[in-house]
Amino acid sequence: MSNEPAIAPTIASEFAVLPQHIGVIMDGNGRWATSQGKPRNDGHRAGVEALRRLVACAVEFEIDYLTIFSFSSENWTRPADEINAILGLMKRFVASDVSKFVAHNVRVRILGRREGLSKAILQMIDQAESRTAHCTGLQLNVAFNYGGRQEITDAVRALVQDAAAGKISAADIDEAAIAEKLYTAGMPDPDLIFRSSGEERISNFLLWQAAYAEFVFYDEFWPEFDREIFVRMLEEFAGRKRRFGGVGA
């Protein structure tokens, strides 16, 4: 598409402190469309363009991990035509952008339950992950069919199965053991979580991992996201005092 933003080359950071891992709740597509007098599905299409701008910013500022909340396990309750439109956009996004990700060394991981997903969706997931598996730059985690409580439940279930098989004992179960069973195993926790559209909640997103994340909430709807908002977010993060339960310097 001619109006797609190009992924910018990396640049030397202008910030003394950058988040290693950013989580993003892309909220407000439907409300943006309504405010523009457009159908809700037009908002989702505009949201995909904003996602492209987000990935370009993450590459430009050399962010290591970017986790986006693309489709929650609760989103299946939405009207069928809206779900189909969202899934169709995701398929087109993968088909059109994976080659660009490979060219810019972006690895794609899909986080969430895969049981019950259609064959077409599973093929889309496999295509995105397999074609970018060798990439070593930005890791783009797409939380799809995802819920934070569901993720913790799956981790606990896996630990119980290991215990029943005699692989571990109850004494072996600590925070590190739980973290290794999460969908994000091997990744650092998010330093920064951003949500658009003025809502100030995390909506079941990265519940375990967000224990010490910094939160930023802006009023702009997700389709309005651009580089200026990204830089504002980084500036706000750089000004935070992170003490992780201590008293600081």
Side-chain angles (χ1 to χ4, degrees):
M1 296 175 62
S2 59
N3 60 341
E4 292 178 10
I7 293 182
T10 58
I11 62 172
S13 173
E14 58 193 79
F15 296 93
V17 180
L18 281 172
Q20 184 181 14
H21 185 175
I22 299 175
V24 178
I25 302 173
M26 306 178 296
D27 190 27
N29 290 343
R31 279 171 287 162
W32 175 85
T34 300
S35 72
Q36 302 290 315
K38 299 178 179 180
R40 284 180 60 85
N41 289 343
D42 282 6
H44 296 306
R45 281 189 282 272
V48 171
E49 295 303 320
L51 172 57
R52 291 188 172 108
R53 294 192 290 272
L54 171 66
V55 174
C57 287
V59 170
E60 177 185 357
F61 285 90
E62 301 177 304
I63 304 301
D64 293 329
Y65 296 86
L66 175 66
T67 300
I68 60 168
F69 204 0
S70 70
F71 195 85
S72 78
S73 51
E74 290 85 10
N75 286 157
W76 296 106
T77 62
R78 293 189 177 191
D81 62 336
E82 184 172 353
I83 292 173
N84 290 334
I86 293 171
L87 296 181
L89 285 169
M90 288 184 61
K91 291 175 185 176
R92 288 195 290 276
F93 175 72
V94 169
S96 63
D97 285 51
V98 165
S99 294
K100 185 188 297 183
F101 292 155
V102 171
H104 292 276
N105 202 26
V106 177
R107 182 182 182 185
V108 178
R109 292 277 307 277
I110 311 298
L111 311 182
R113 281 185 182 167
R114 303 192 182 185
E115 296 83 0
L117 296 180
S118 70
K119 183 178 180 180
I121 293 175
L122 291 173
Q123 289 175 337
M124 175 186 68
I125 290 172
D126 179 69
Q127 177 188 8
E129 292 190 329
S130 62
R131 289 187 59 190
T132 62
H134 64 286
C135 297
T136 58
L138 170 69
Q139 180 162 306
L140 172 62
N141 301 314
V142 180
F144 176 80
N145 195 29
Y146 173 90
R149 290 181 175 179
Q150 160 190 296
E151 179 182 24
I152 295 170
T153 299
D154 288 349
V156 172
R157 183 178 293 121
L159 288 169
V160 169
Q161 290 172 344
D162 284 351
K167 297 178 181 179
I168 60 173
S169 67
D172 296 322
I173 301 176
D174 56 13
E175 290 185 11
I178 294 172
E180 282 302 310
K181 295 296 185 181
L182 297 174
Y183 305 150
T184 54
M187 306 177 202
D189 289 340
D191 305 291
L192 173 65
I193 293 179
F194 162 71
R195 182 171 187 153
S196 57
S197 86
E199 303 290 351
E200 297 187 1
R201 57 180 180 272
I202 59 173
S203 298
N204 205 19
F205 179 57
L206 299 178
L207 294 182
W208 177 279
Q209 300 90 332
Y212 283 103
E214 298 294 326
F215 291 87
V216 175
F217 303 101
Y218 291 151
D219 290 335
E220 290 91 345
F221 295 127
W222 177 246
E224 299 173 295
F225 179 88
D226 58 14
R227 187 181 186 277
E228 180 181 346
I229 294 175
F230 190 83
V231 170
R232 193 198 325 165
M233 183 172 64
L234 295 183
E235 289 173 342
E236 186 159 346
F237 175 80
R240 300 283 179 92
K241 302 297 183 183
R242 307 188 74 201
R243 291 182 285 273
F244 301 96
V247 296

